[in-house]
């Protein structure tokens, strides 16, 4: 009985060794970095020298495009020589994005600009270079990349990051090649992190492919991979030269290749393995909840929103009067935002990127610059278009701009100069119909609050006129005998529990069949703020102490209440806002910390190589909790140009080697299994969430303690964050949650004008198509419009332009023309039919008729 078993075992071993012996190992070497991420000026000549010394060596390069400006300035001979060899087949540029962003943590439009501006900068230095393969040293990936990369002309992608997995890694899957299938169905031939490519033992930053180890090669052979390929993008400034050696001493007889060479000359160039890639296959973890990362996330989000709105306002002015912002201004606004999105901003915010500033300080400066330029563009674009006015009867106008495609009636408050008869002012629309408003005098100005009706992507204008003052009406706040605060408007009825820290004892959504969303089980409270203070070895909660609740506003348009409570001894204030007709409930949280405290699972030691980490399990961080009455809900979360349905049982992990995806970009949604009802949480910054069986959905608010590389991520001041809740009927798409998120990120802009035309305009109508306006901006003599199918199906939908159009072309992200699109003209309007799969992306180049002719 023993001999057959022994014979089979020996046979298997012989087959294995024969397979390993016939295996040819390949390796992609190269450099990563740049003038911001580290690039000493000697590196250029060093690469040239080593290429000359070692003809077998080849380079994959992930160098920030702006770096070459510095090289040209400081080492012109090396720069000129490198330009000559840049198209050599031994060199491949694999990531031309402007600032090497992680991608998963910023907007989809930001990713497009990173590649667009980065590739434009590269063309100024290397005009003949083309881009075939996307590869990065760090996990700079998101699920929608295949669609984006293909439109920029890429053919291949690589999902390995073997030597720099500090911030995470991609799920191990497949063999030599896979077809990476994006959420829209786009397919890209890809080298994955093989299913056999394990995380390196005794490491918290590598996989076994980082040096073509025998372990990696044997595991590959055992999986049937005959031509395995490893990778190491060295940090620019490392003086190793060829990573695996050279000449006759290359480790394991590996063969240096570029990625393009590997795909086209080594691999089979095709596979039947279609990997429908999920955002949850990106296993990443940063210092979520730390104050520094929270502020970076908020600053980047604010700047993203501001420049997007500025471009859209400029597009309206372009259509009306041919206004085009100075290209240098718009480019500089995007440049500083893109630098703030650099992956080092997020993973090493306390490191210095120059002698004077840390990354965190630089981000604050960069995003402030973007905000300043965006505000200037808006100011220029909104310049008055004059009309005859009688100063005795005309007190000016308010124009309200809507930069999203959906019609909306959000409440706005606009500051205007106070006329002689200050509060005897009212609003009239363009049809001279009186519009309800609330007027309050503040010093030498008035605050006028009202609820405009603004069609998608356009503006409405309201005239200020003298009226008899109308008394305001109190609508929806009172207190019961226990001091609980009852808040009610046309959409919601909330009960804030005074004894339990002002948490929501009841949340009834009238538009969702009067459903109660607060949980019947009171183990956790809706809106509870809780965290583990490890020095005290205790969970503290906002429900531990009574709250003080006061009313800030209570009228036809807005209800705002202030909840003041404590978490342990630390006071917090939370402003809750309900707008008339508004689907979301807004929360603004401010925590005044009494000194620095430790919040997390335990006090982390300064052993940055430990697999076990205190800052990974978000249940122990301070978080805002959202228990609810939904039964067996499914969890959905958005990502750049994607919405992911979670397949995870929970988000809980405590080790670098056990990362689970727990990132919230803009929103996370729970939809009841029968899809009847749901609850969405919106966040003002990219952060993490926690969720699992018997544990409610929670939004991370604060971590304080030792983190990556032993840095102390301590509390340095107050914490401030905004979030919102949207109880709804139906699934996330039926409830149009992407649209609601866009409304929150791009609020109505109300502006006072002393003299403008009393008119309303709608420039672009997307109707019920489900198309989201990702971007629209003037470019030379064209209008560039980018649409994303966030909610709709794949059937053709009509997009209408309320201005004379001469030509509409579909173009790729690299500017290549796909086709001319037929224009249908009717009743003075032009429209086109567009078909996009869900999560599809299309860019239109629109040539309008000369504005003097209409």
């Amino acid at each position: 009985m023993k001999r057959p078993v022994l014979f089979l075992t020996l046979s298997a071993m012989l087959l294995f060794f024969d397979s390993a012996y016939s295996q040819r190992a390949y390796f992609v070497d190269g450099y990563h970095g740049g003038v911001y991420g580290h690039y000493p000026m000697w590196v250029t000549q060093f690469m040239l020298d080593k290429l000359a010394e070692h003809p077998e060596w080849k380079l994959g390069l992930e160098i920030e495009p702006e770096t070459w400006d510095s090289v040209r300035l400081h080492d012109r001979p090396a720069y000129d020589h490198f330009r000559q060899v840049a198209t050599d087949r031994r060199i491949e540029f694999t990531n031309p994005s402007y600032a090497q962003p992680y991608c998963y943590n910023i907007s989809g439009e930001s990713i497009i600009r990173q590649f667009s501006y980065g590739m434009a900068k590269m063309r100024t230095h290397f005009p003949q270079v083309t881009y075939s393969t996307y590869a990065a040293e760090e996990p700079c990936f998101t699920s929608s990349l295949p669609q984006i990369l293909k439109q920029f002309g890429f053919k291949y992608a690589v999902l390995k990051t073997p030597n720099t997995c500090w911030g995470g890694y991609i799920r191990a899957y497949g063999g030599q090649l896979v077809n990476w299938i994006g959420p829209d169905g786009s397919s890209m031939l890809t080298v994955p992190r093989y299913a056999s490519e394990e995380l390196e033992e005794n490491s918290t930053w590598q996989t076994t492919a980082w040096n073509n180890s025998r372990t990696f090669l044997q595991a590959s052979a055992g999986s049937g991979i005959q031509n395995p390929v490893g990778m190491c993008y060295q940090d620019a400034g490392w003086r190793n030269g060829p990573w695996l050696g050279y000449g006759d001493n290359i480790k394991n007889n590996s063969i240096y290749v570029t990625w393009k060479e590997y795909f086209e000359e080594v691999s089979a160039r095709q596979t039947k393995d279609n990997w429908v890639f999920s955002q949850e296959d990106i296993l990443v973890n940063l210092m979520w909840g730390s104050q520094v990362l929270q502020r970076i996330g908020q600053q980047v989000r604010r700047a993203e929103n501001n420049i997007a709105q500025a471009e859209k306002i400029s597009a309206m002015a372009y259509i009306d009067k041919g206004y085009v912002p100075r290209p240098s201004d718009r480019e500089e606004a995007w440049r500083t935002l893109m630098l703030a999105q650099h992956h080092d901003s997020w993973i090493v915010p306390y490191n210095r990127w120059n002698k004077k500033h840390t990354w965190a300080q630089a981000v604050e400066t960069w995003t402030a610059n973007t905000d300043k330029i965006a505000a200037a563009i808006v100011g220029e674009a909104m310049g008055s278009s004059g009309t005859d006015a009688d100063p005795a009867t005309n007190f000016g106008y308010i124009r309200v701009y809507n930069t999203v495609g959906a019609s909306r009636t959000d409440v706005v408050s606009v500051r205007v100069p106070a006329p002689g008869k200050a509060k005897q002012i009212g609003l009239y629309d363009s049809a001279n119909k009186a519009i309800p408003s609330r007027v309050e005098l503040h010093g030498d100005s008035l605050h006028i609050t009202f609820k405009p009706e603004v069609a998608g992507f356009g503006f409405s204008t309201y005239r200020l006129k003298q009226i008899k003052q109308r008394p305001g009406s109190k609508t929806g706040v009172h207190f019961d005998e226990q001091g609980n605060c009852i808040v009610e408007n046309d959409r919601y009825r909330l009960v804030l529990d005074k004894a339990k820290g002002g948490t929501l004892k009841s949340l009834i959504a009238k538009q969702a069949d009067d459903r109660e969303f607060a949980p019947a089980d009171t183990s956790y409270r809706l809106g509870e703020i809780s965290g583990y203070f490890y020095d005290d070895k205790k969970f503290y909660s906002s429900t531990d102490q009574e709250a003080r609740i006061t009313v800030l506003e209570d009228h036809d348009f807005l209800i705002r209440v202030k909840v003041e409570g404590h978490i342990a001894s630390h006071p917090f204030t939370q402003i809750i806002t309900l707008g008339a007709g508004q689907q979301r409930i807004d929360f603004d949280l401010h925590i005044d910390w009494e000194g620095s405290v430790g919040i997390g699972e335990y006090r982390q030691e300064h052993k940055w190589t430990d697999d076990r980490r205190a800052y990974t399990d978000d249940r122990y961080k301070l978080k805002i909790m959202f228990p609810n009455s939904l039964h067996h809900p499914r969890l959905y979360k958005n990502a750049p140009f994607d919405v992911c349905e979670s397949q995870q049982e929970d988000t809980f992990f405590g080790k670098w080697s056990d990362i689970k995806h727990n990132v919230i970009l803009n929103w996370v949604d729970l939809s009841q299994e029968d899809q009847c009802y749901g609850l969405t949480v919106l966040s003002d910054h990219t952060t993490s969430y926690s969720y699992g069986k018997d544990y409610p959905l929670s939004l991370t608010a604060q971590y304080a303690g030792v983190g990556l590389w032993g840095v102390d991520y301590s509390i340095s001041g107050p914490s401030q964050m905004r979030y919102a809740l949207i109880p709804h009927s139906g699934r996330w798409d039926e409830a149009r949650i992407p649209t609601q998120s866009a409304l929150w990120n791009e609020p109505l802009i109300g502006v006072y004008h002393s003299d403008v035309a009393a008119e309303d305009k709608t420039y672009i109508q997307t109707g019920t198509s489900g198309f989201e306006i990702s971007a629209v901006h003037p470019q030379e003599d064209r209008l560039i419009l980018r649409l994303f199918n966030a909610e709709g199906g794949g059937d053709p939908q009509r997009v209408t332009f309320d201005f004379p159009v001469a030509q509409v072309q579909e173009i790729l992200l690299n500017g290549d023309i796909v086709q001319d699109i037929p224009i249908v003209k009717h009743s003075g309007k032009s429209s086109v039919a567009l078909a996009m799969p869900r999560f599809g992306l299309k860019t239109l180049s629109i040539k309008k008729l000369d504005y003097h002719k209409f």
Side-chain angles (χ1 to χ4, degrees), residues 484-780:
N484 299 322
C485 181
I486 293 90
V487 180
E488 187 167 5
N489 73 351
D490 57 328
R491 282 184 169 267
Y492 297 107
R493 184 179 187 275
L494 314 182
V495 179
L496 308 180
D497 194 332
K498 178 182 179 180
K500 293 294 183 180
T503 53
L504 291 170
K505 187 176 184 178
S506 174
L507 195 174
I508 293 176
K510 298 178 181 180
Q511 78 279 10
D513 305 321
D514 287 328
R515 182 180 178 87
E516 173 64 78
F517 279 83
D521 178 8
T522 57
S523 301
Y524 302 104
R525 302 298 294 260
L526 183 56
E528 177 180 350
I529 307 168
S530 174
Y532 188 72
F533 290 57
Y534 51 72
D535 287 333
D536 294 344
K537 295 181 172 55
K538 183 177 180 180
F539 276 98
Y540 288 108
S541 169
S542 60
T543 64
D544 296 338
Q545 301 178 55
E546 188 176 274
R548 180 170 178 259
I549 306 173
T550 54
V551 181
L552 301 180
E553 289 188 77
D554 178 15
H555 52 78
D556 291 336
F557 302 103
L558 286 175
I559 298 175
R560 295 173 67 238
V561 297
K562 178 170 68 173
V563 176
E564 297 171 281
H566 287 81
I567 306 160
S569 62
H570 309 279
F572 74 86
T573 300
Q574 184 156 238
I575 308 299
I576 304 174
T577 303
L578 279 73
Q582 181 175 286
Q583 192 166 339
R584 69 178 188 273
I585 306 168
D586 292 331
F587 297 81
D588 194 332
L589 175 64
H590 180 95
I591 305 173
D592 280 311
W593 298 102
E594 294 186 336
S596 186
V597 295
I599 306 174
E601 186 177 1
Y602 57 90
R603 179 175 289 280
Q604 177 85 33
E605 298 297 328
H606 290 263
K607 296 178 180 178
W608 50 270
T609 57
D610 282 355
D611 190 23
R612 185 78 170 85
R613 300 178 175 188
Y615 53 85
T616 55
D617 195 332
D618 291 344
R619 289 175 295 181
Y620 293 88
K621 298 176 183 178
L622 194 76
K623 66 274 176 189
I624 307 156
M625 310 180 79
F626 307 105
N628 54 75
S629 62
L630 300 174
H631 301 295
H632 309 295
R634 302 292 301 171
L635 187 143
Y636 300 86
K637 49 193 167 185
N638 85 312
F641 297 134
D642 189 14
V643 176
C644 169
E645 180 179 358
S646 179
Q647 302 300 316
Q648 300 175 154
E649 291 186 3
D650 59 54
T651 61
F652 315 140
F653 64 95
K655 297 180 180 179
W656 169 83
S657 57
D658 293 334
I659 296 175
K660 299 179 183 179
H661 188 276
N662 63 349
V663 179
I664 172 175
L665 179 64
N666 298 100
W667 55 266
V668 60
D669 176 81
L670 293 176
S671 288
Q672 192 165 288
E673 197 170 62
D674 57 13
Q675 310 299 341
C676 289
Y677 303 101
L679 179 67
T680 303
V681 179
L682 302 172
S683 172
D684 72 344
H685 66 291
T686 302
T687 185
S688 63
Y689 71 93
S690 49
Y691 183 65
K693 184 179 180 181
D694 301 325
Y695 193 85
L697 175 65
S698 301
L699 185 64
T700 301
Q702 182 72 71
Y703 170 79
V706 171
L708 280 165
W709 293 286
V711 175
D712 189 3
Y713 284 75
S714 59
I715 292 173
S716 59
S719 293
Q720 185 85 30
M721 64 182 292
R722 295 184 305 113
Y723 62 97
L725 294 179
I726 303 178
H728 59 83
S729 298
R731 205 175 72 155
W732 64 269
D733 47 355
E734 297 169 325
R736 304 199 69 185
I737 296 304
T739 295
Q740 290 298 319
S741 177
L743 298 182
W744 196 50
N745 284 283
E746 297 185 33
L748 289 173
I749 301 175
V751 180
Y752 172 77
H753 290 273
S754 59
D755 198 7
V756 293
E759 61 182 357
D760 304 335
K761 286 192 176 181
T762 300
Y763 298 97
I764 302 171
Q765 297 180 34
T766 56
T768 59
S769 64
F771 293 172
E772 178 181 308
I773 298 177
S774 178
V776 55
H777 59 85
Q779 182 172 297
E780 298 175 348

Side-chain angles (χ1 to χ4, degrees), residues 387-394 397 463 754-756:
T387 184
D388 294 333
D390 182 356
T393 58
N394 181 7
Y397 300 82
R463 186 175 181 180
S754 59
D755 198 7
V756 293

Side-chain angles (χ1 to χ4, degrees), residues 5 19 91 129 191 203 238 247 389 490 494 537 565 621 825-826 833:
V5 174
S19 175
I91 297 173
V129 165
V191 171
S203 171
W238 291 3
D490 57 328
L494 314 182
K537 295 181 172 55
K621 298 176 183 178
K825 297 185 177 181
H826 180 71

Side-chain angles (χ1 to χ4, degrees), residues 317-370:
Y318 170 77
I319 295 168
D320 274 346
K321 53 189 179 183
Y323 167 78
V324 177
R326 286 177 293 276
S328 60
D329 286 349
R330 197 162 62 90
E331 289 170 9
E332 177 62 10
W334 274 105
R335 187 186 80 88
T336 51
L337 171 56
M338 290 186 297
L339 293 178
Q341 295 168 336
H342 193 293
H343 65 269
D344 279 348
S345 299
W346 296 73
I347 196 168
V348 287
Y350 288 131
N351 281 10
R352 292 191 176 275
W353 73 270
N354 64 17
K355 294 180 180 180
K356 295 181 179 180
H357 301 100
T358 65
W359 278 98
Q361 292 167 332
V363 168
E364 184 174 5
T365 300
W366 285 329
T367 54
N369 183 64
T370 301

Side-chain angles (χ1 to χ4, degrees), residues 82-93 126-130:
F82 207 90
R83 287 192 74 194
Q84 295 174 9
V85 303
T87 55
D88 190 291
R89 68 188 307 273
R90 296 169 63 196
I91 297 173
E92 182 181 16
F93 293 89
F126 310 107
Q128 304 304 318
V129 165
T130 58

Side-chain angles (χ1 to χ4, degrees), residues 36 64-66 96-103 105-107 109-121 152 296 299-300 303-304 307 311 329-346 359 362-363 366-371:
Y36 295 97
E64 299 156 16
E66 201 174 309
S97 63
Y98 202 93
Q100 302 173 359
Y102 277 127
C103 294
N105 57 334
I106 59 178
S107 72
E109 187 60 35
S110 288
I111 298 171
I112 289 172
R113 302 308 176 95
Q114 286 277 355
F115 281 97
S116 178
Y117 282 108
M119 294 171 81
K121 171 62 73 173
F152 276 112
I296 286 171
Q299 290 160 358
V300 168
E304 284 181 328
I307 187 58
E311 286 189 336
D329 286 349
R330 197 162 62 90
E331 289 170 9
E332 177 62 10
W334 274 105
R335 187 186 80 88
T336 51
L337 171 56
M338 290 186 297
L339 293 178
Q341 295 168 336
H342 193 293
H343 65 269
D344 279 348
S345 299
W346 296 73
W359 278 98
V363 168
W366 285 329
T367 54
N369 183 64
T370 301
D371 295 338

